[in-house]
Amino acid sequence: MASSRFLAPRKRQNQLFTALLLLFLVLSSVYYITAPDRSADQKYESAKEVPISTITKAYEQRQLQEIIVRGSNVYAQYQSGSYIQSYKEVGDSVATLGWNDAKNPTAVQIDNIEVKNFFKAHLGDLLFFVMLIALGMWVFRSIARSQSTALSFGKSRARIADASEVKTTFKDVAGCDEAKNDLREIVDFLKNPKKYTTIGAKIPRGALLVGAPGTGKTLLARTVAGEAGVPFFSISGSEFVEMFVGVGASRVRDLFLKAKRNAPCIIFIDEIDAVGRQRGGAGFGGGHDEREQTLNQILTEMDGFDKDTNIIVMAATNRPDVLDSALLRPGRFDRRIFIDKPDLKAREQILQVHARNKKMGRDTDLEVIARQTVGLAGADLENIMNEAAIFAAKRGVKSVQQQDIVDAVEKVTLGSEKRSRKLTDKEKSVTAYHEMGHAIVGHLCKESDPLHKISIVSRGFALGVTWFLPKEDQYTTTKQKFLDEICGLLGGRAAEQLTFGEITTGASNDIERASMIARNMAMRYGMDEEELGIVAYGEKQGSPFLGVDLGLTRNYSEEAAKKIDAFVRRVIGEQYERAKGYLTANKAKLELLVTKLMEVETMSLEEFLEIFEGKEG
Ligand code: ADP
Ligand code: MG
Ligand code: ZN
């Protein structure tokens, strides 16, 4: 995306400068043309005074070289070289004196003394004035050039991409078909506004793209510009918010002004929640003067569009719940386009889009990768393909192999392997029991996500990892699934306790997550029917469907709080016992599996099943 400032003001400045220079040149040349010939003045200093008739006579007899009329003074020079001078009446002209004979070779010259005097008197001032302006302009220009930001503080920082620059089209966006359909309509508004206005339809002003981070909101907005072939003005909400109150508003004004000059076009305000939060609210996110002003300015500008201003304002956010309701009113961002995380097919397509510009090996199967990347957004998938290419390049091979992509998936989802982190043998074996505990318990809980892989190679902060792959297309969760999840999470600690009789700190994250699930069961999903009833406890301040939680406001009694705590403790206790039960029943397999895991460090589902089911059957 090119970042270019508008050149128009600079150009105008240049023109002004040139005009002044020209004026100066014209003035000075006029001066020199009309300036009295000083040598002539000197010549005639010693001239003899004669009556005017003498000059006329000499003229008629062609004895004169030249006659100079300067005001009422008349100077003449004989062919012989001597000078004479005389005075004429104010009413006399060259014609009345008879000095206008075309055949007479005498040069008759008239100096306009008034003009000359004027220039003589004022040229100095004029020159000075012109020079001063020129100097001023020069200083101004050099400041502007060296420090282009100093004078453009209130200017918008919008990045402008010309119609010709935006090359992204719908082909570059895989999946999100509903969103694309909605956007096709917007492309049509920009391309054929007449089609809608003649029938009396009002073209929508704003569209809000809503989706989790990395789902391609920014990409889609650019795509609309690319498809419609119009310029694209993009600015991020946070760029409006500056140190000084009022700057944001003036940036908005500037941005819309530029856009109007370039209509039809698209204005894209990324991360609009930075300015568009609910105004005037108390506590979190409320009462920020600068933001309010900026937001008001955006609303004013959008209301101020003429009926036939062909500008569509697009905005993106992953926090639609915090947006000011004024933004969402009809005539503003009344179109909301939801972009979901990609499903299996979409993930495969996105992977393909990002495989296009890479050398892919013959064995690569992106569908397999798509299956392993449930819940990831487009940006993660792009990242995976890039990491895969980096892995391949590091290995020095010519094309990306399937294994590179598999490694990349692990790196992106779990963090890099840290093989250099040295664990003591004890730590290693505790980790192996812990992870195998998760694996066995998870495997035995019917509702748990299917087991995928177990590893005791450190990654990020984790010493080991047991990897379950979520099933596709699950939008609701049953109570049993929650319980099974809790059970699986506690499996790690259960295995440690059964084997070593002591516990380490390694399970703290598991416990945290298990407690969270249990708490949500009680407070959000009404799953403790006997004690708490089907009631939601705590006022949510996040957007559940985008997975962002800002915390809960407590709006329940002390008694309810006790019941919630009791429920959480009971559920955790029950599931912990259940996990221990599974592991005790499979103690022999646990030992076998741990021995194997210590040896290979990373174990796939197949290897796990070979041992786990082999002995059973
Ligand atoms: P957002 O603005 O929603 O956070 P972006 O539009 O910045 O996400 O997406 C980041 C990158 O992820 C894009 O530049 C693109 O390469 C990739 N991406 C996201 N979604 C898709 C998709 N549906 N198809 C292809 N690439 C995608
Ligand atoms: Mg974005
Ligand atoms: Zn664990």
Side-chain angles (χ1 to χ4, degrees):
M1 200 180 295
S3 128
S4 71
R5 290 186 310 123
F6 256 66
L7 291 178
R10 161 89 48 94
K11 225 183 239 165
R12 214 172 300 138
Q13 221 174 57
N14 256 331
Q15 281 169 358
L16 190 62
F17 190 74
T18 326
L20 278 170
L21 209 71
L22 259 168
L23 184 71
F24 173 72
L25 281 176
V26 169
L27 283 178
S28 44
S29 46
V30 165
Y31 170 74
Y32 281 109
I33 289 165
T34 57
D37 186 350
R38 288 179 195 283
S39 60
D41 280 352
Q42 265 166 15
K43 281 193 305 201
Y44 288 106
E45 229 156 52
S46 58
K48 199 176 100 201
E49 241 182 88
V50 294
I52 189 89
S53 55
T54 314
I55 294 182
T56 305
K57 207 191 254 162
Y59 174 81
E60 278 161 6
Q61 290 171 359
R62 305 190 179 188
Q63 291 167 347
L64 298 178
Q65 274 182 35
E66 63 168 2
I67 299 176
I68 299 169
V69 181
R70 190 176 293 164
S72 54
N73 288 327
V74 179
Y75 305 95
Q77 187 181 13
Y78 282 109
Q79 301 280 13
S80 60
S82 58
Y83 304 105
I84 50 173
Q85 91 167 85
S86 181
Y87 301 96
K88 74 173 183 64
E89 298 294 317
V90 175
D92 282 344
S93 70
V94 170
T96 53
L97 291 165
W99 300 345
N100 56 353
D101 183 355
K103 285 181 204 129
N104 197 314
T106 310
V108 180
Q109 186 188 329
I110 301 159
D111 275 358
N112 195 333
I113 194 125
E114 268 75 39
V115 173
K116 204 159 47 207
N117 276 351
F118 175 81
F119 277 106
K120 233 189 231 160
H122 298 288
L123 194 88
D125 305 347
L126 252 166
L127 261 178
F128 180 70
F129 185 64
V130 169
M131 297 286 280
L132 203 69
I133 289 180
L135 187 76
M137 302 274 327
W138 180 75
V139 169
F140 183 76
R141 273 160 45 96
S142 44
I143 289 177
R145 195 172 299 157
S146 67
Q147 220 181 337
S148 52
T149 48
L151 297 162
S152 62
F153 201 63
K155 292 266 189 317
S156 91
R157 298 258 172 89
R159 290 165 298 277
I160 300 145
D162 266 341
S164 52
E165 278 176 50
V166 186
K167 289 266 167 22
T168 31
T169 60
F170 283 136
K171 274 205 224 73
D172 302 309
V173 187
C176 29
D177 292 326
E178 290 96 358
K180 277 201 260 184
N181 274 338
D182 289 344
L183 292 172
R184 275 203 188 91
E185 196 183 41
I186 291 183
V187 171
D188 204 38
F189 290 149
L190 285 164
K191 270 182 160 168
N192 314 305
K194 287 259 158 48
K195 184 166 125 194
Y196 298 90
T197 47
T198 46
I199 242 174
K202 217 163 74 201
I203 289 182
R205 299 275 153 75
L208 184 66
L209 298 167
V210 180
T215 42
K217 299 180 293 295
T218 311
L219 180 72
L220 275 166
R222 284 180 66 77
T223 305
V224 173
E227 286 278 331
V230 298
F232 182 74
F233 291 76
S234 89
I235 191 161
S236 175
S238 59
E239 289 172 69
F240 285 129
V241 183
E242 280 275 345
M243 233 180 330
F244 304 108
V245 174
V247 172
S250 98
R251 286 205 175 133
V252 172
R253 221 173 295 127
D254 191 60
L255 172 65
F256 278 77
L257 199 73
K258 279 180 192 165
K260 276 180 203 157
R261 279 195 225 122
N262 288 277
C265 67
I266 289 177
I267 297 178
F268 178 56
I269 306 173
D270 212 350
E271 323 279 346
I272 195 171
D273 39 288
V275 287
R277 274 179 197 279
Q278 199 73 35
R279 286 170 293 181
F284 188 81
H288 190 299
D289 254 3
E290 167 66 348
R291 233 171 23 209
E292 278 193 22
Q293 283 195 17
T294 308
L295 179 57
N296 285 338
Q297 191 65 37
I298 292 178
L299 298 179
T300 315
E301 293 285 352
M302 285 182 79
D303 289 343
F305 281 164
D306 291 334
K307 219 172 58 227
D308 39 46
T309 310
N310 200 1
I311 297 178
I312 291 196
V313 185
M314 295 178 79
T317 182
N318 48 15
R319 305 291 320 276
D321 53 313
V322 300
L323 287 186
D324 195 293
S325 45
L327 268 175
L328 306 174
R329 238 190 44 193
R332 288 158 181 179
F333 294 102
D334 48 351
R335 302 228 152 193
R336 252 150 292 165
I337 297 169
F338 291 94
I339 304 168
D340 294 325
K341 288 242 176 104
D343 60 12
L344 177 66
K345 198 162 134 266
R347 283 198 306 276
E348 189 183 345
Q349 285 165 354
I350 294 173
L351 289 167
Q352 268 158 7
V353 164
H354 294 287
R356 262 192 233 149
N357 56 358
K358 299 180 179 66
K359 291 207 181 69
M360 302 300 289
R362 261 171 233 278
D363 73 323
T364 52
D365 184 348
L366 295 177
E367 199 201 320
V368 172
I369 305 297
R371 281 189 195 289
Q372 294 180 7
T373 46
V374 185
L376 296 194
D380 305 317
L381 297 173
E382 182 193 11
N383 193 9
I384 284 172
M385 290 311 284
N386 191 49
E387 289 291 344
I390 290 173
F391 277 136
K394 267 193 195 156
R395 290 197 300 126
V397 292
K398 293 247 158 48
S399 61
V400 179
Q401 308 297 309
Q402 185 75 358
Q403 190 56 44
D404 295 317
I405 316 180
V406 171
D407 289 346
V409 170
E410 286 181 22
K411 179 168 181 194
V412 168
T413 52
L414 307 172
S416 304
E417 289 190 344
K418 284 195 181 143
R419 287 189 182 275
S420 61
R421 185 187 279 167
K422 280 276 168 282
L423 299 183
T424 61
D425 282 346
K426 176 77 191 286
E427 273 174 326
K428 200 169 161 188
S429 108
V430 171
T431 306
Y433 276 102
H434 179 103
E435 297 306 332
M436 202 45 81
H438 283 309
I440 291 175
V441 173
H443 183 67
L444 291 174
C445 290
K446 291 279 159 305
E447 294 283 315
S448 164
D449 290 331
L451 182 65
H452 178 63
K453 198 169 183 177
I454 312 147
S455 159
I456 52 167
V457 179
S458 313
R459 287 167 190 279
F461 291 116
L463 297 181
V465 63
T466 309
W467 195 3
F468 296 92
L469 270 190
K471 282 194 216 100
E472 201 62 43
D473 296 337
Q474 276 197 333
Y475 296 106
T476 56
T477 308
T478 59
K479 182 173 177 182
Q480 190 55 48
K481 181 158 193 315
F482 280 138
L483 294 176
D484 283 3
E485 249 173 63
I486 295 173
C487 188
L489 281 167
L490 298 171
R493 180 174 160 131
E496 283 184 49
Q497 213 205 352
L498 278 179
T499 318
F500 301 100
E502 61 176 7
I503 31 193
T504 65
T505 52
S508 72
N509 184 37
D510 298 333
I511 296 169
E512 236 168 71
R513 278 167 58 199
S515 315
M516 242 265 286
I517 296 171
R519 199 164 284 277
N520 277 340
M521 287 172 74
M523 294 173 67
R524 281 169 70 173
Y525 305 117
M527 286 178 175
D528 181 19
E529 283 181 54
E530 310 86 54
E531 286 292 321
L532 288 163
I534 311 169
V535 175
Y537 294 89
E539 213 171 298
K540 252 194 330 284
Q541 288 190 340
S543 166
F545 80 97
L546 291 175
V548 204
D549 254 328
L550 289 176
L552 299 173
T553 321
R554 196 168 147 171
N555 65 348
Y556 44 86
S557 66
E558 201 58 43
E559 200 192 335
K562 275 191 192 136
K563 282 183 182 165
I564 292 168
D565 290 341
F567 175 83
V568 170
R569 258 202 311 276
R570 180 165 57 84
V571 166
I572 300 262
E574 281 169 11
Q575 295 309 316
Y576 189 55
E577 288 310 314
R578 184 176 159 213
K580 278 206 283 197
Y582 284 143
L583 290 173
T584 323
N586 293 285
K587 186 84 172 107
K589 283 174 195 162
L590 174 66
E591 296 295 340
L592 271 175
L593 281 161
V594 165
T595 315
K596 177 80 177 167
L597 183 59
M598 294 279 279
E599 184 193 318
V600 296
E601 294 199 334
T602 300
M603 197 183 251
S604 67
L605 175 64
E606 290 73 36
E607 292 169 301
F608 173 86
L609 288 179
E610 209 172 283
I611 296 172
F612 191 78
E613 254 143 40
K615 293 285 164 181
E616 207 172 42

